[in-house]
Each structure stands twice: as C-alpha cells, then as structure tokens.
Amino acid sequence: MSDNRIHVYLMPGMAANPSIFENIKLPDEQFVTHTLEWFVPEKGMSLKDYAEKMCTLIKEPDPVLLGVSFGGMLVQEMAKIIPVQKILVVSSVKSKHELPKRMLFAKYTKVHKLLPTGLVNNVELLAKYAFGETVTKRLHLYEKYLSIRDKYYIDWSIDQIVKWDQEVPPNNVVHIQGEKDAVFPMTNIKDCISVKNGTHTMIIHRAKWFNEHLPTIILK
C-alpha cells in the first residue's frame, strides 16, 4: 500500500461525536481517514485558540480537513494555522455572510444567551440545536451521535457560531451543502456543490453520496 496516501481528518458538528462518520468509507489505497473529537474549551477560549489546540492532533503534513456544520467553521480556522491540502465544509458556511439572518440577529441582540442550554440532557432539544430537525422517530440514533452534553461547551459553541466573523472563504475550500438544510439554508450559500434533498444531517443519512463523490472532490 502506497505511503503517498492522502490523510483526511474528519471533524463532526456541534455536540456530535465521530460516530456520524461511521458509514463514510474512502478507498484505502488512496486515503487514510482520521477522526477528531470535540473537547470542552477552557474558560475564555476563543475559536482561534481552540483551533490551535485541535491542530496539535494533526500529525501529517498537508492533510485534507473535512468539517461538518460548526466543525466546518473550525476546520477553516485550523487551516489558518497549519498548511492543508484542501478544506471540505459540509452542511456549514464559508463566511459570516452565509449565516442565516436569525443568527446575525442573535449576534447583536445576544438572544442566544437566553437559550435553555441547561437542558442539554434532553436529546430532542439538543438535536434541534445541533441538527435542526425534530428527531422523535430516530431518537435512539441521536442519543448515540450527540454525546457532548456539557452546558459550557454548548453555550460556547452557539456563541462562537453566531459571532463568527470570517469575511472571505479560504482559496482551497470546497463547500458541500444539502438543498434542504434547515440550519444553514441554501438561500444564503454561494459557490457550493449542492446535494439534492440533502438535509443538515446528510453526512449520516446520505453516506452513499459522500462515498461516491468524496474521492473525486478531494483529488480534483
């Protein structure tokens, strides 16, 4: 097996763990996949500080970083710190201009500070925040995927999302967005690969699409 394989690091979305990638399979002869996990930030930690700490877990030069949702924002911040071959953002945004109006409103009114994040052990509520959908039908699955239940982490994450201030996307970013994403609607998104009927959780429910298309997208 060639040692010239591309190392791909996968970063889950807010409150989610790497099991969201369990059905993502890239060809072993071309790629080595690694998963990253959220940790509870230290008090007063900025997203830049968080990205710097996450970068210490990247052991190979020029990797490909793939981030989902808030993880997509994080990998873009990481790419400002270490050289990367490509950034793939899934179900996410590439700049503050792609954030939905309700999030921009929250930034200025601080209304997000009033969200009942103390109820993080209520999986239905957490899924509503993290995935943007009502999950009563698949609650057992979401209990598995959403394992980061720390209130400080949830509060910090929501705050970092609404006040993210990136003006211009990086040159080497590829954006993959579902047509039916309820968290980051397509109406605000420019220059992306759109996935027909894809929702905010398409990395889980449309793994077949990703397995078919990711190798070409990475190698392009």
Side-chain angles (χ1 to χ4, degrees), residues 26-100:
L26 298 176
D28 287 340
E29 64 277 10
Q30 291 172 298
F31 306 98
V32 184
T33 56
H34 311 263
T35 55
L36 296 168
E37 295 191 49
W38 293 105
F39 56 87
V40 177
E42 295 155 24
K43 293 285 189 282
M45 203 174 213
S46 68
L47 188 58
K48 180 177 180 287
D49 295 337
Y50 196 97
E52 283 177 355
K53 193 163 181 181
M54 192 65 81
C55 282
T56 64
L57 303 176
I58 307 289
K59 303 303 181 189
E60 290 75 25
D62 295 319
V64 170
L65 303 181
L66 182 152
V68 176
S69 192
F70 181 35
M73 297 179 186
L74 177 63
V75 296
Q76 291 175 77
E77 293 299 320
M78 291 168 68
K80 295 171 186 175
I81 298 160
I82 57 168
V84 301
Q85 199 172 132
K86 192 168 280 190
I87 311 156
L88 306 180
V89 299
V90 176
S91 307
S92 189
V93 295
K94 303 183 295 300
S95 77
K96 67 179 185 181
H97 305 292
E98 293 184 340
L99 288 168

Side-chain angles (χ1 to χ4, degrees), residues 54-200:
M54 192 65 81
C55 282
T56 64
L57 303 176
I58 307 289
K59 303 303 181 189
E60 290 75 25
D62 295 319
V64 170
L65 303 181
L66 182 152
V68 176
S69 192
F70 181 35
M73 297 179 186
L74 177 63
V75 296
Q76 291 175 77
E77 293 299 320
M78 291 168 68
K80 295 171 186 175
I81 298 160
I82 57 168
V84 301
Q85 199 172 132
K86 192 168 280 190
I87 311 156
L88 306 180
V89 299
V90 176
S91 307
S92 189
V93 295
K94 303 183 295 300
S95 77
K96 67 179 185 181
H97 305 292
E98 293 184 340
L99 288 168
K101 284 189 172 62
R102 70 178 186 279
M103 291 188 187
L104 297 174
F105 175 76
K107 175 182 177 179
Y108 294 108
T109 62
K110 304 288 189 282
V111 70
H112 61 291
K113 303 279 191 184
L114 304 176
L115 290 170
T117 51
L119 301 176
V120 290
N121 285 316
N122 177 332
V123 177
E124 288 179 55
L125 187 68
L126 185 57
K128 191 75 178 166
Y129 286 162
F131 290 157
E133 46 186 72
T134 306
V135 297
T136 44
K137 287 182 182 172
R138 293 189 288 257
L139 198 55
H140 66 289
L141 276 181
Y142 291 94
E143 285 180 333
K144 176 175 108 176
Y145 296 133
L146 294 169
S147 63
I148 322 296
R149 308 276 175 85
D150 183 272
K151 181 182 179 338
Y152 182 77
Y153 162 81
I154 301 291
D155 287 339
W156 177 87
S157 298
I158 294 169
D159 196 44
Q160 298 305 317
I161 292 167
V162 301
K163 69 183 189 187
W164 196 48
D165 63 355
Q166 179 161 283
E167 284 281 351
V168 181
N171 290 329
N172 55 347
V173 69
V174 177
H175 190 169
I176 305 169
Q177 195 74 4
E179 286 183 350
K180 295 185 175 177
D181 194 306
V183 177
F184 299 117
M186 280 284 284
T187 48
N188 301 303
I189 308 291
K190 295 177 181 175
D191 304 322
C192 70
I193 297 167
S194 64
V195 179
K196 191 175 173 60
N197 295 322
T199 66
H200 197 63

